[in-house]
Amino acid sequence: MSSYNTLAEFYDLLTDNVDYKVRSDYISGFFSKYGKSSGKLLDLACGTGTLSKLLSDKGYEVTGIDLSDEMLSLADNKCAGKVKLLKGDISNFSLDEKFDFCLCSLDSINHLNDYDDVKSCFSSVYQCLNSGGIFVFDVNTLYKHEFILGDNTFAFDEEDFFLCWDNEYEGGGRVRILLDFFVFNGENYDRFSEEFYETAYDTEDLIKALSDFEIIGIYDELKYTEPADDSQRIYFVCKRK
């Protein structure tokens, strides 16, 4: 997984179209329906901490994990000490405390390098959850990677920077993503580049990797209906056996 150093600085601007309030309500709804309305929550790949903060404001005792120092620094400023933040790799982690809930959002599972890392991540989640603990995560679908991201290029023209987002579809659900930031320094533009991969996994393979969990439901994004053939993101709601 990349450290996303440059991306961290602009992440909140680039995800400005994400309604985090709606997502926090949707996710916490599963927590309260299948678990309880409060408790200790682990936010995997917490990024800049927006969801962590919203869930903390709802009364959850939140711990966030991320691999990027830059993301964690931004999260620390945003959460103002209300969220415990740890540096760690979500593909393989161990914590001294147990949690009632675990969350992994905004296709962070797709950032794991391969299927073995996904299985290792799910095993780590199992180990850190209390019996009956609820695990909610979302993933980009194979459809999205092949037909939406694919070999497409996207441009973001903002006030202080320009971003060229170039995708290369390598097959098997794997997309190579190259980001070129051109950041205005007052006189001209400095160029910063990031490169990482996202991999979409077959739903049946994800179900197999969740053998330690009871799968309560698999839903289309922010809905309570089954995914469609052209769903771009789906949610899994699971309970630790």
Side-chain angles (χ1 to χ4, degrees):
M1 296 177 67
S2 166
S3 60
Y4 309 112
N5 294 337
T6 305
L7 178 60
E9 182 179 352
F10 303 106
Y11 184 82
D12 285 345
L13 282 173
L14 294 173
T15 59
D16 187 54
N17 62 327
V18 176
D19 193 331
Y20 285 98
K21 175 64 166 57
V22 168
R23 290 182 189 276
S24 69
D25 290 343
Y26 180 73
I27 292 164
S28 63
F30 290 124
F31 291 158
S32 59
K33 181 175 182 179
Y34 298 110
K36 50 187 179 179
S37 58
S38 64
K40 298 174 68 173
L41 189 160
L42 180 63
D43 186 1
L44 299 183
C46 63
T48 62
T50 304
L51 267 180
S52 293
K53 182 180 184 302
L54 286 169
L55 290 165
S56 175
D57 290 343
K58 287 178 178 292
Y60 294 94
E61 184 182 343
V62 182
T63 296
I65 295 181
D66 203 278
L67 193 57
S68 166
D69 290 321
E70 288 74 17
M71 292 281 194
L72 288 170
S73 177
L74 292 168
D76 187 41
N77 289 333
K78 184 180 296 182
C79 296
K82 296 181 179 179
V83 174
K84 181 180 179 181
L85 297 168
L86 304 172
K87 182 176 181 178
D89 185 344
I90 69 167
S91 69
N92 187 10
F93 63 92
S94 178
L95 300 174
D96 294 333
E97 57 185 319
K98 298 286 188 179
F99 295 84
D100 303 299
F101 313 100
C102 183
L103 162 67
C104 191
S105 64
L106 295 175
D107 54 89
S108 294
I109 294 295
N110 298 106
H111 287 253
L112 297 174
N113 290 325
D114 54 40
Y115 186 57
D116 285 340
D117 281 347
V118 173
K119 290 189 291 184
S120 177
C121 173
F122 291 168
S123 177
S124 295
V125 171
Y126 178 83
Q127 295 298 329
C128 77
L129 278 177
N130 289 317
S131 179
I134 304 300
F135 177 33
V136 177
F137 68 92
D138 68 60
V139 288
N140 282 344
T141 62
L142 288 164
Y143 174 87
K144 180 176 181 178
H145 277 211
E146 184 172 357
F147 297 106
I148 305 301
L149 297 181
D151 290 310
N152 292 320
T153 298
F154 305 94
F156 299 82
D157 189 3
E158 303 292 339
E159 182 177 352
D160 294 324
F161 72 94
F162 178 86
L163 168 61
C164 179
W165 182 306
D166 186 43
N167 299 319
E168 295 179 4
Y169 187 66
E170 298 187 345
R174 186 172 172 87
V175 178
R176 180 188 181 206
I177 299 174
L178 301 98
L179 306 180
D180 280 313
F181 292 88
F182 299 87
V183 183
F184 189 61
N185 61 21
E187 297 181 357
N188 48 41
Y189 287 84
D190 297 318
R191 179 180 178 177
F192 302 93
S193 298
E194 294 277 359
E195 175 183 343
F196 55 92
Y197 291 85
E198 286 202 31
T199 304
Y201 298 96
D202 183 79
T203 300
E204 291 303 317
D205 288 334
L206 292 171
I207 290 172
K208 290 177 183 176
L210 290 163
S211 59
D212 290 329
F213 295 85
E214 172 194 351
I215 299 176
I216 295 171
I218 303 173
Y219 303 99
D220 203 352
E221 182 177 19
L222 300 179
K223 299 177 181 178
Y224 302 99
T225 55
E226 293 183 358
D229 291 340
D230 60 352
S231 294
Q232 296 185 37
R233 188 194 306 274
I234 60 177
Y235 275 81
F236 283 73
V237 181
C238 312
K239 178 179 286 191
R240 186 192 193 276
K241 293 180 181 177

